[in-house]
Amino acid sequence: MTSKKKPTVYITRKLPDVVETRMRELFDAELNVDDTPRTQPELVAAVKRVDVLVPTVTDRIDAALIEQAGPQLRLIAAFSNGVDNIDVDAAARRGITVTNTPNVLTEDTADMTMALILAVPRRLAEGAQILTDRKGEWAGWSPTWMLGRRIAGKRIGIVGMGRIGTAVARRAKAFGLSIHYHNRHRVKPETEEMLEATYWDSLDQMLARVDIVSVNCPSTPATFHLLSARRLALMRPDSYIVNTARGGIIDETALIKCIREGKIAGAGLDVFENEPAVSLKLVKLAGEGKVVLLPHMSSATLEGRIDMGEKVVINIRTFFDGHRPPDRVLPGRD
């Protein structure tokens, strides 16, 4: 009896060794050992010959690429939670299933969100730089030097009260913050009660009344520039904004202008509108201590990446065993 042919799997980036080893055991997997980002022509060549594409958030899997896929490509098993870089509708038209890796990065992302919520008002990055990059400037403790803003007792407004937003709220409550949130749908009463959370059906009204804004909603066409110039102008001049979701949710140009003009006190950003490019104006603001910038690392834990890899493996195996994969992404999502 001959063994069943292993599906051919093309992995666009370097993954943790334990994940790659498992991929090679189960599939005919082509690895990216040096982690060089794949070009669009390389992706086109891959989808013409493999059964499964495993892209990451940095790969653009648009309709033009999908239309060039060979008939053997049956699954796009994304190594990511978000799929805004994949044209799911175009894939569905070609009969290609798309999966993602939800529910494994919630706690890691919420941890980093809380770190930025602390870092910006308390001037953590600025203080650290004085000891490393500006040696000799610190003359010792002083009662009026490096004063930041207290966290406890402030109001946090969470934009997007999904799994990550709820996890952020749990952490924020433990730090003495009052929880406010805006969401397409109100969360369950027991969740509101547990968090002592106040729901705002109007994002505009919430923005004008909170001290810290945390962006935790998904990236969709409806949320592009959700935090527009008009909405950013509603925020208080002593308020802060933190974004660990997607850069395009905030109008970055308008944000820079608001901070520069003192209409917003500061920002903590792990994502950027044109990443990996980071605005030089943002870098300048970081040098002035007005923003804290991180290189899209809120989900970057070894445990999280291994969990993501395990979900990719399960999705591929389930699909080729003839069953619906557990993390299938349906077309037509807004």
Side-chain angles (χ1 to χ4, degrees), residues 3 25 37 69 79 87 94 139 150 153 158 185 207 272 275 313:
S3 60
E25 289 172 348
F79 185 86
D87 193 325
R94 289 290 307 274
R150 179 180 293 165
I158 296 173
H185 306 290
L207 291 173
F272 307 93
E275 61 181 73
V313 168

Side-chain angles (χ1 to χ4, degrees), residues 8 137 155:
T8 55
E137 183 174 322
R155 297 183 179 93

Side-chain angles (χ1 to χ4, degrees), residues 157-159 180 182 200 202-215 226-228 230-237 239-241:
I158 296 173
V159 182
H180 297 250
H182 170 77
W200 294 85
S202 168
L203 175 58
D204 290 6
Q205 291 183 18
M206 186 185 79
L207 291 173
R209 291 168 172 81
V210 297
D211 304 292
I212 299 167
V213 174
S214 178
V215 181
L226 180 68
L227 277 299
S228 61
R230 181 188 67 78
R231 285 199 166 114
L232 291 171
L234 299 173
M235 292 176 59
R236 296 156 41 145
S239 65
Y240 302 89
I241 188 165

Side-chain angles (χ1 to χ4, degrees), residues 57 99 111 149 175 192 222 227 259:
V57 294
T99 62
D111 284 345
R149 299 298 300 273
F175 276 85
E192 274 193 8
L227 277 299
I259 295 173

